[in-house]
């Protein structure tokens, strides 16, 4: 890998002082700042779209992004001589967002609202999104997942011998199944389809993976990275993903979740339909469905201790989650 990277570095007008490996990439400390180099396997169209999104942010004054650096030939991708394509991006000193620190969570949430306001691109043919996120039918997704939960419940109920996890799934079915159905019905009344059409017509972009790994903090400065899953679509999905993961890591501490939502709204107010969609997404028991899905598609002859622990954990957190959802509904609906 080092030999290949050496060939790549030759194509950039920098002097590398040191290098170190991180997850799936190499950080380069150079005379022109910090860069990150990694092999690139996605399509050129995908890369061009990501860079178009970052260009929109930079042109609007938001410069703290991991934009791709062109090589001496003016290209974004560099061949290492073995047929591998490499991408070199601007990188920064800092630390990942501490998901246990409420002030940092609020800072990250506020930052998300800022980039959402700025991530609006045209719809010219040369920057069409490579993945049709706008066609993601959450209503159909909820319906399918609810059917899967019901199917697995029926399967377990008919089993003569049941292990501890299966018993726990049966005992928790009524609560989580009801939430799934309520979320499905609420989403139908939310104006979700019209919101999708509006996002497409306006060219609004969501980050697609806005989590603590992709938010770098340097003092009060926030750097947003890794736009690999960005696409035109509902930006409120970013807020949902962020809030859900933050709440799961903090045992559904209501103060943390409400402060994160309010920090976002101070920068970008959510419309009535967006608030309804956000509530429906938070109401849906996604973690429960995932565990049901893992169980059904895995080996039935043995119980996954890890998944059983996860199931017990989400069940034990239901009281706090319910309090949070009740407050979110009061706040948003």
């Amino acid at each position: 890998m080092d030999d290949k990277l050496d060939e790549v570095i030759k194509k950039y007008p920098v002097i590398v002082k040191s290098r170190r490996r991180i997850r799936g990439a190499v950080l380069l400390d150079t005379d022109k700042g910090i860069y990150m180099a990694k092999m690139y396997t996605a399509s050129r169209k995908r890369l061009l779209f990501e860079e178009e999104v970052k260009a929109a942010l930079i042109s609007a004054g938001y410069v703290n992004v991991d934009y791709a650096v062109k090589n001496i030939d003016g290209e974004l991708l560099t061949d290492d001589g073995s047929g591998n394509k490499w991408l070199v991006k601007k990188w920064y000193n800092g630390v990942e967002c501490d998901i246990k620190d409420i002030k940092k969570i609020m800072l990250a949430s506020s930052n998300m609202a800022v980039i959402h306001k700025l991530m609006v691109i045209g719809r010219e043919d040369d920057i069409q999104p490579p993945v049709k996120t706008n066609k993601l039918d959450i209503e159909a997704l909820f319906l399918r997942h609810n059917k899967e939960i019901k199917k697995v419940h029926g399967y377990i109920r008919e089993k003569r011998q049941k292990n501890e996890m299966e018993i726990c799934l049966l005992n928790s079915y009524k609560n989580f199944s009801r939430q799934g159905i309520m979320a499905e019905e609420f989403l139908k009344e939310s104006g979700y389809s019209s919101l999708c059409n509006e996002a497409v017509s306006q060219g609004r972009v969501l980050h697609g993976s806005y989590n603590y790994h992709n938010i770098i903090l340097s003092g009060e400065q926030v750097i947003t990275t890794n736009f690999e899953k960005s696409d035109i679509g509902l930006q409120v999905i970013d807020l949902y993903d962020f809030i859900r993961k933050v709440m799961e890591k903090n045992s559904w501490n209501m103060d943390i979740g409400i402060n994160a939502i309010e920090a976002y709204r101070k920068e970008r107010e959510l419309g009535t339909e967006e608030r309804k969609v956000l509530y429906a997404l938070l109401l849906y028991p996604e973690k429960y469905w995932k565990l049901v899905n893992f169980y059904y598609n895995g080996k039935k002859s043995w119980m996954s201790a890890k998944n059983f622990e996860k199931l017990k954990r989400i069940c034990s957190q239901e009281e706090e989650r319910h309090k949070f959802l009740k407050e979110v509904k009061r706040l948003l609906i």
Side-chain angles (χ1 to χ4, degrees):
M1 182 176 180
D2 289 338
D3 292 340
K4 294 176 182 178
L5 183 55
D6 287 338
E7 290 300 314
V8 171
I9 293 172
K10 291 177 183 178
K11 291 291 186 73
Y12 292 85
V14 299
I15 298 173
V16 176
K17 301 175 183 177
S18 64
R19 65 178 77 175
R20 66 183 177 89
R21 297 191 183 193
I22 56 173
R23 289 189 305 265
V26 180
L27 282 187
L28 306 173
D29 184 7
T30 80
D31 61 330
K32 295 183 179 179
I34 301 174
Y35 295 99
M36 184 186 75
K38 66 175 184 177
M39 288 187 188
Y40 191 81
T41 56
S43 69
R44 184 174 182 275
K45 185 178 181 181
R46 170 75 251 183
L47 178 58
L48 291 176
F49 177 76
E50 292 170 29
E51 293 309 308
E52 185 70 27
V53 173
K54 295 172 195 174
L57 286 170
I58 293 170
S59 66
Y62 188 99
V63 298
N64 294 325
V65 292
D66 58 337
Y67 59 86
V69 179
K70 292 183 178 180
N71 60 27
I72 56 177
D73 298 320
E75 298 291 336
L76 292 175
L77 294 174
T78 302
D79 195 295
D80 64 6
S82 299
N84 302 305
K85 299 295 183 182
W86 286 73
L87 177 68
V88 175
K89 300 194 295 183
K90 170 66 177 173
W91 206 249
Y92 302 84
N93 276 320
V95 295
E96 290 183 354
C97 178
D98 184 353
I99 206 166
K100 295 289 187 178
D101 188 321
I102 188 169
K103 290 184 178 179
K104 290 182 172 61
I105 290 169
M106 291 172 66
L107 191 61
S109 190
S110 176
N111 177 72
M112 186 200 315
V114 170
I115 67 171
H116 278 172
K117 289 191 292 185
L118 303 179
M119 288 199 299
V120 182
I121 63 173
R123 293 305 308 272
E124 293 85 352
D125 290 340
D126 61 332
I127 56 172
Q128 285 288 327
V131 183
K132 301 295 184 182
T133 300
N134 51 281
K135 290 187 177 180
L136 176 62
D137 192 339
I138 299 177
E139 290 181 36
L141 197 67
F142 280 4
L143 177 61
R144 186 171 74 250
H145 288 177
N146 285 341
K147 286 181 178 179
E148 290 168 356
I149 290 172
K150 185 177 181 180
K151 178 182 177 180
V152 173
H153 174 259
Y155 168 80
I156 296 175
R157 190 176 56 187
E158 294 300 317
K159 288 188 68 176
R160 291 186 177 182
Q161 291 186 324
K162 303 174 181 64
N163 61 38
E164 289 180 293
M165 181 169 182
E166 290 166 339
I167 293 171
C168 189
L169 284 171
L170 286 180
N171 291 338
S172 56
Y173 168 77
K174 185 176 180 179
N175 173 53
F176 290 114
S177 175
R178 183 175 64 247
Q179 291 175 15
I181 293 170
M182 289 172 60
E184 181 186 335
E185 293 174 348
F186 202 90
L187 191 68
K188 289 177 181 177
E189 302 171 359
S190 68
Y192 166 76
S193 295
S194 62
L195 273 179
C196 286
N197 293 333
E198 183 180 289
V200 174
S201 65
Q202 295 177 353
R204 293 200 164 272
V205 178
L206 68 156
H207 183 279
S209 187
Y210 194 91
N211 57 58
Y212 62 97
H213 292 305
N214 298 330
I215 306 159
I216 297 175
L217 301 180
S218 181
E220 291 298 309
Q221 193 175 53
V222 186
I223 299 100
T224 310
T225 68
N226 296 326
F227 288 74
E228 284 86 349
K229 295 184 180 179
S230 61
D231 208 340
I232 289 177
L234 288 184
Q235 294 176 327
V236 74
I237 293 175
D238 275 343
L239 182 57
Y240 156 67
D241 283 335
F242 181 71
I243 296 296
R244 180 179 63 81
K245 289 170 185 173
V246 163
M247 295 303 284
E248 287 175 354
K249 294 291 186 181
N250 288 284
S251 302
W252 294 89
N253 183 309
M254 185 168 67
D255 288 340
I256 291 177
I258 297 303
N259 274 287
I261 292 173
E262 290 298 270
Y264 182 96
R265 294 178 69 190
K266 283 181 181 179
E267 288 292 339
R268 177 182 176 270
E269 182 55 276
L270 296 166
T272 302
E273 291 79 11
E274 283 184 299
R275 296 199 299 272
K276 290 179 179 178
V277 171
L278 176 60
Y279 175 72
L281 289 168
L282 288 169
L283 176 60
Y284 194 84
E286 183 172 346
K287 198 74 172 181
Y288 180 79
W289 167 79
K290 284 183 178 179
L291 289 170
V292 167
N293 189 52
F294 287 152
Y295 160 79
Y296 194 69
N297 291 303
K299 290 183 178 181
K300 311 296 190 306
S301 58
W302 65 280
M303 181 184 72
S304 168
K306 183 178 180 181
N307 285 342
F308 182 41
E309 286 302 316
K310 288 181 179 179
L311 179 60
K312 289 194 294 183
R313 184 163 59 251
I314 66 171
C315 289
S316 68
Q317 293 176 350
E318 264 303 281
E319 184 177 350
E320 293 305 313
R321 180 171 174 267
H322 178 73
K323 291 178 183 177
F324 170 68
L325 288 170
K326 185 177 180 180
E327 182 63 16
V328 168
K329 188 174 184 180
R330 186 197 68 78
L331 188 69
L332 298 180
I333 309 304

